[in-house]
Each structure stands twice: as C-alpha cells, then as structure tokens.
Amino acid sequence: MPVIYFLIYLLTMIGIYSLLAMSLNFQVGFTGLINFGQVAFFCIGAYASSLLVTKAGAPLILGFVGGMALSGLFGYIISIPTKSLKADYWAIATLAGGEVVRLLALNEGWLTEGPFGVMSIPQPLRWLFSKDSYPLFYLFLIAACVLIIYFVLSLLTNSPFGRNLKAIRDEEDLCLSLGKNTRKLKLQAMVVAGMVAGLAGALFAHYITYISPENFKPIETFLMWAMIIVGGRGNHLGAILGAVVIQLFNVSTRFIGGYVPLGSDTMAALRMVIIGLLIVLFLLYAPEGLIRERKKVYHLKRKHIE
Amino acid sequence: MALAAEITASGILMGSIFALVALGLTLIFGVMNVVNFAHGEFLMIGMYSAFLISTFLSIEPLVSLPFVAVVGFLLGIITYYLLIRYLLRGPMIAQLFGTFGLMLFLRYLVMFILGPNPRVLHQGVLIGKSVSLSWFTFDISKLAAAGFSILLFVLVSWMIERTKLGRALRATSIDAEAAGYMGIDTEKMNALAWGIGGATAGIAGGLLANFYYITPTVGMLFIMIAFATVALGGFGSIRGAFIAGLIVGLIMMVAGYYLSQIKLAFVYLAYFLVVVLRPRGLFGW
C-alpha cells in the first residue's frame, strides 16, 4: 500500500510546514516583522533536539524542549537589532542571520558533523508501534501539535498582547505614543515564533531521522513565504491553508514526474518557477491571499465615522 | 610582508567586483526605495549571457560585454514596466516580495532551461592568464574586472552628478512628486534607474564569467554580499558602495586566508555590526 504511506508522508510534511508557516505568520502577519531567515529557527530546533538526544544522551522530551528553547533564544537575539532598524534593513539582516546559522552547522563539524549531518536520530515512542503503524502515529502526534499551537496562537493573538502586536504592525508610532513598550513586545513575539518553529524543527528531525545542512537552505524560507503569501496573512487558518496548497503542489508535481518526459532536476526547477510566478501573481491580483484577515473594530460609534 | 601585500591586493580586486554588483542595488534603492532581491539573478543572467554569446557565436568574452550590458539594461527596464510599476501601488510588503518572487522565477527559469550544472568559460584573451610582479601574481581577468568596475563607477557618478539626466534622477530620488511638478517624467526616471542597475549587474556578471563558475544559483551568494556592501556603505550612496565593496573584499580575503570555510560569516558579522552601531551605513544620510 505505498499510496497510503505517500499520503501519510504528505500530510506529515504539511503538518510540519503548517507550524512553520504559522510561526512566520505570527511574525509577519501579526507583528509586521519581515523575517527572511525563518529557516534558522527550523535548523536550530532540528539540530538542537537531535544533538541533545544523540550526543548528550538526553531523553527525547528534553530534546524537544531544548530545541524549542534554543530556537526561542535565537528569536531573542535576532530581535535585538529591531530597535534601530527599518523593516527592510532588518529583513536583510535576518537573511544573513539564517545563512550564518547554516554555515555554522556546515563548518562546526565537532558539534554538528558538518556536511555529513546527524544520523540515526531516535524517534519518540518508537518501541510501542510496528514499522507499518509508526508513520500513522507520528502523523497524529504532529496533528496534535498543530492543533495545540493553533489554539495557543489564537489565544495569544486574541488577547491584549495580540492586539498590541497588531497595533505595532499597523502604526508603530501610535503604539509608542500610547505608552506601549514596542521593543519588548516585538522581542516577545519573536521568542514565541522561534519556539513554534523550533518545535517544527524538532518534529522534522525526529521524523526524518537524518538531518544535514542541505535541509536548511534559504530556499526553505522562500517556500514558507510562498505559503503565507498564498494563504493570507494575519490569520492562522490562512497560514495552514497556504502550507497545504504549497506542499500539495510541491509534492504532487514530484509524484506526476514519472509521467512527464522531464528529468527530476528540471521538474524541481519548473516547480520553483511556478511558485515564483504564483507569489508575483498573488501580490499583483490578490495581495491579501486566499483567506483575508478579518479586521475587528472596537467600540465603534456612528458619530465617530461621520 | 609579501603575503600581506598579496592578500590586500586580491582583496581589493575582489572588492571592486563586489562594489560593481552593489552599484546597481544602491542606485535602485536610492532612486525609489525598493530593495531588489532579484539583483543577484540579474548578475547570474549576465554571466550566462556572456557565456552563451561567447560560446555559440565564438566571440571573445570581452567583446560580448556591450551585448551583456544591453541584456541587463533591457532586463531592468522590463522588470520595472511589467512588475515594479504595479507593485508600487500596493503596500510596502508587496514591493519587498515582488522582487523576491521575481528572484525565484528567474533563478529557476534559467535552471529549467539550461540545467543546474556549472559552466565555465574556456576561451578568451583574459582567461587563465596572469601578470607577475616581483612578489606576486595577478589574475589578468580579475585585474580587468577591477578596472572596468572603477571605470563604471566613474561613469555612473559622472552621469548622476554632472548631466541633466542625472539631475533629474536625483530630483526623483529626493522627492518624486515635486520632481513630477517640475516636468520630470518620474516614471521614466524610475525605469532608467532599473535599466542602469540591470546593466551594471549584467556587466559585473560578464566580467565574473571570466573567472568564476556559472550556475543558476550563483546569484544568492553575490546578492548576500551586495546587501552587506550596500548596508555598509549606506543605502543609496554610490561612493559608499565602492568603498564598502573594497572593505568587504578585504574582510573576505583576510578571513578566507585564516578560516577558509566561514569567511562569509565574517562579512555578515561586519554587516551586523554596522547595522546595529550605525544603521545609516558609513556614507548614508
């Protein structure tokens, strides 16, 4: 039944990328922080968790927590320069930051095994299941994570904290003049986003069981961006929908590769051409994405509009 | 001593190429405040154009430079009229991602058509030759590239500082609306900035093709360096781009000598330091 396993794989990857897209959306769609180094969180989460487990011999749960914590710490570090940088300058800084993380993973061989990557990463609760039923269990695990993160992020964004973040996105000066500490708020947002993406990284590492710097190239960040541009920013469902659409497209075109007389390299290139085109077309004709953000109006009285 | 001189010299040579890549980026940003993420892809297309023209028409790579410049110029203009013009009406976020989508599109279109394998130019008056001074040898192709870079910087600076066209460009960059009232066709000025930006990136690619591997993904490396260069020199500053290019080249060569693998990390580190300590860059305003 290879089709079933393919489907399970597809859904698992959609789940992992949903987490990454929700994290990115939390930064971009809610706080207005344009992060081009999202893959760094993913990378740190994956490496931290798998190294803690394989090298330090920590229990799996500690690996996951460590991955989230370190990724959150990176969010803290990368948000420090936001105090003095304009949005586009900071965006470029994060792009460089993401590359630095990957270069470190590639070159600090004593810790990360360099280009060979970390092998035979153990899987959680592996002994409870047979070889055939384990992927299904992992899918449920990831689905549970997506659901929990969805509710946690929804709670956050509907709270006063979330309203503050949206205020920063829409009008930072106004937010400052109302006495909000926007720097601290951005910092908190980046830490939360980092932890979510770090969780995705840990889940990915323990699912694939082998990671190398090849998995964390800048192209991954671009895919996550394509997800939230297509799905829509400023709401969590949009991020998930974007992850579904882009991953379905990405994986299904790999699947039909056998029926088209093109090499796998050419197909991969064509796939990215179409995703690039999709981004441009969405920006030109549907800049809000598939699911629009529902803007709330608080305490609106008629006389105020007139 | 000889070693220090060699590192310095090759740093300056490489740096002047980086400066040339950064020139177009800083020009486009200076005139219309748009960060062109596809700039590295312009460079890559310049490299491929030089490769294709000189391989299939068996023309000397140096002679292909004007053609490459035209390709880059047209690419810039077409990008402006087909994409940027429409994105400018949207929110700032759309401007940032429009060029980013274009980057993916161009990079993988080239990979789709020409395949991912690296190409190398084999024939040309510059290729593989070097001059020996008493203590070290220069790669002629790098020397020529540095020469062209300085020439182009002088040319573009002269155009912007001294000619009427340049004055119109500067007026557009300072206040597009007011420039429009003075009868300047700001739309054309924006397109011109993209054209010049594309042409300089194309020429940089044509020069690089003489001594660097040509792959569809080469743009990523150079755009990262160019961003660091532009930020270091100050967004929109042409003089800053040149000096910052030399600094970046020197950092890379010195770091590359001692820690060959992570020399790029040092460039980013320098960028971070500048960005945090002096966000305007060395020559920004």
Side-chain angles (χ1 to χ4, degrees):
Chain A
M1 297 278 278
V3 180
I4 296 275
Y5 287 112
F6 177 73
L7 216 61
I8 291 176
Y9 166 79
L10 177 61
L11 287 172
T12 309
M13 290 314 276
I14 286 177
I16 290 171
Y17 274 86
S18 298
L19 288 174
L20 290 166
M22 278 196 282
S23 154
L24 186 60
N25 188 27
F26 190 70
Q27 301 163 53
V28 181
F30 287 96
T31 324
L33 290 167
I34 295 166
N35 181 0
F36 274 127
Q38 173 75 354
V39 73
F41 292 136
F42 190 39
C43 182
I44 290 173
Y47 265 100
S49 178
S50 46
L51 287 176
L52 272 174
V53 174
T54 57
K55 285 217 168 163
L60 276 158
I61 184 76
L62 209 66
F64 274 75
V65 172
M68 286 174 73
L70 265 178
S71 192
L73 180 70
F74 183 71
Y76 178 85
I77 293 168
I78 196 113
S79 67
I80 291 172
T82 51
K83 71 165 184 220
S84 52
L85 288 186
K86 269 171 51 187
D88 33 7
Y89 297 61
W90 188 73
I92 296 165
T94 57
L95 187 61
E99 271 297 90
V100 168
V101 167
R102 191 177 68 88
L103 286 173
L104 286 179
L106 192 60
N107 290 299
E108 298 303 308
W110 57 274
L111 181 67
T112 62
E113 305 299 333
F116 306 112
V118 184
M119 274 174 267
S120 48
I121 303 163
Q123 297 182 305
L125 302 179
R126 180 67 185 82
W127 68 89
L128 284 180
F129 299 89
S130 69
K131 190 173 168 293
D132 294 333
S133 59
Y134 190 73
L136 198 63
F137 160 73
Y138 209 83
L139 176 61
F140 281 118
L141 179 70
I142 283 183
C145 286
V146 172
L147 268 179
I148 292 170
I149 295 295
Y150 175 81
F151 281 114
V152 170
L153 287 183
S154 299
L155 274 177
L156 271 180
T157 49
N158 288 326
S159 69
F161 172 68
R163 281 203 294 278
N164 281 337
L165 293 186
K166 285 188 198 171
I168 292 178
R169 176 196 66 186
D170 291 334
E171 204 69 66
E172 185 168 355
D173 290 340
L174 181 71
C175 203
L176 270 172
S177 71
L178 291 175
K180 306 288 179 202
N181 186 348
T182 58
R183 220 192 122 203
K184 199 170 157 199
L185 286 164
K186 285 183 190 171
L187 224 144
Q188 289 164 340
M190 286 304 291
V191 171
V192 170
M195 283 168 68
V196 172
L199 174 67
L203 283 168
F204 175 75
H206 292 280
Y207 172 64
I208 295 288
T209 70
Y210 165 70
I211 53 167
S212 78
E214 281 292 299
N215 295 113
F216 307 104
K217 287 186 153 182
I219 194 76
E220 296 295 325
T221 305
F222 303 153
L223 276 179
M224 297 167 209
W225 269 103
M227 286 167 191
I228 67 167
I229 287 171
V230 169
R233 293 170 299 282
N235 66 80
H236 305 295
L237 279 180
I240 295 176
L241 181 67
V244 172
V245 170
I246 296 288
Q247 275 297 323
L248 263 183
F249 173 75
N250 216 347
V251 178
S252 63
T253 45
R254 208 170 292 169
F255 197 58
I256 62 162
Y259 304 98
V260 185
L262 291 171
S264 64
D265 283 345
T266 330
M267 275 304 283
L270 185 62
R271 215 160 32 229
M272 292 312 296
V273 170
I274 294 172
I275 288 179
L277 203 61
L278 210 61
I279 292 176
V280 171
L281 290 178
F282 260 90
L283 286 175
L284 287 178
Y285 298 106
E288 306 239 336
L290 288 174
I291 301 181
R292 280 158 185 262
E293 181 189 2
R294 247 191 255 156
K295 300 239 171 167
K296 268 191 198 153
V297 182
Y298 298 98
H299 306 299
L300 183 79
K301 288 176 189 148
R302 275 206 72 79
K303 62 177 179 189
H304 284 193
I305 321 173
E306 283 156 10
Chain B
M1 189 59 218
L3 181 71
E6 188 159 357
I7 292 177
T8 313
S10 50
I12 287 174
L13 289 187
M14 230 22 230
S16 48
I17 301 271
F18 295 154
L20 187 57
V21 182
L23 172 63
L25 200 65
T26 203
L27 194 70
I28 292 171
F29 187 88
V31 171
M32 49 196 306
N33 262 306
V34 171
V35 178
N36 181 17
F37 275 93
H39 204 71
E41 272 47 51
F42 288 7
L43 174 92
M44 178 268 291
I45 289 174
M47 288 174 91
Y48 270 102
S49 315
F51 173 78
L52 293 176
I53 291 172
S54 38
T55 313
F56 288 105
L57 303 177
S58 30
I59 294 178
E60 160 59 36
L62 263 189
V63 182
S64 75
L65 272 185
F67 298 102
V68 175
V70 171
V71 169
F73 187 80
L74 289 178
L75 194 63
I77 298 247
I78 292 170
T79 303
Y80 178 73
Y81 278 112
L82 286 187
L83 181 66
I84 309 300
R85 201 158 53 122
Y86 299 102
L87 290 175
L88 282 179
R89 294 171 198 161
M92 187 268 199
I93 219 164
Q95 293 163 26
L96 213 53
F97 299 129
T99 59
F100 157 80
L102 181 71
M103 170 185 89
L104 288 184
F105 177 72
L106 289 178
R107 179 189 301 172
Y108 290 98
L109 190 66
V110 170
M111 193 188 275
F112 175 62
I113 298 170
L114 296 167
N117 298 332
R119 316 285 180 110
V120 187
L121 266 179
H122 290 295
Q123 281 153 349
V125 274
L126 300 179
I127 291 162
K129 299 204 175 100
S130 51
V131 231
S132 288
L133 287 178
S134 54
W135 11 280
F136 57 87
T137 50
F138 283 116
D139 236 344
I140 278 209
S141 49
K142 285 184 188 168
L143 209 57
F148 270 103
S149 164
I150 293 169
L151 191 72
L152 277 167
F153 262 94
V154 171
L155 205 71
V156 170
S157 305
W158 172 79
M159 197 218 92
I160 286 186
E161 305 281 333
R162 294 295 157 84
T163 63
K164 207 173 170 188
L165 200 63
R167 221 174 301 149
L169 257 180
R170 271 184 294 152
T172 311
S173 98
I174 293 166
D175 189 337
E177 209 182 339
Y181 293 146
M182 300 300 132
I184 295 169
D185 189 345
T186 55
E187 187 94 315
K188 240 180 212 158
M189 287 303 124
N190 288 342
L192 183 70
W194 277 87
I196 299 174
T200 51
I203 294 175
L207 291 165
L208 262 178
N210 282 310
F211 58 92
Y212 209 89
Y213 286 100
I214 309 166
T215 70
T217 47
V218 75
M220 191 66 207
L221 171 70
F222 282 93
I223 191 77
M224 298 293 296
I225 296 172
F227 277 144
T229 308
V230 170
L232 204 62
F235 277 83
S237 163
I238 289 179
R239 191 170 53 127
F242 189 75
I243 293 168
L246 296 188
I247 294 174
V248 167
L250 282 172
I251 293 175
M252 266 187 84
M253 283 302 154
V254 173
Y257 182 76
Y258 294 105
L259 307 138
S260 59
Q261 288 301 307
I262 43 176
K263 58 186 175 187
L264 264 180
F266 278 85
V267 174
Y268 301 146
L269 198 68
Y271 166 77
F272 274 124
L273 281 181
V274 169
V275 131
V276 173
L277 297 177
R278 191 178 157 83
R280 282 171 299 148
L282 299 173
F283 296 88
W285 25 260

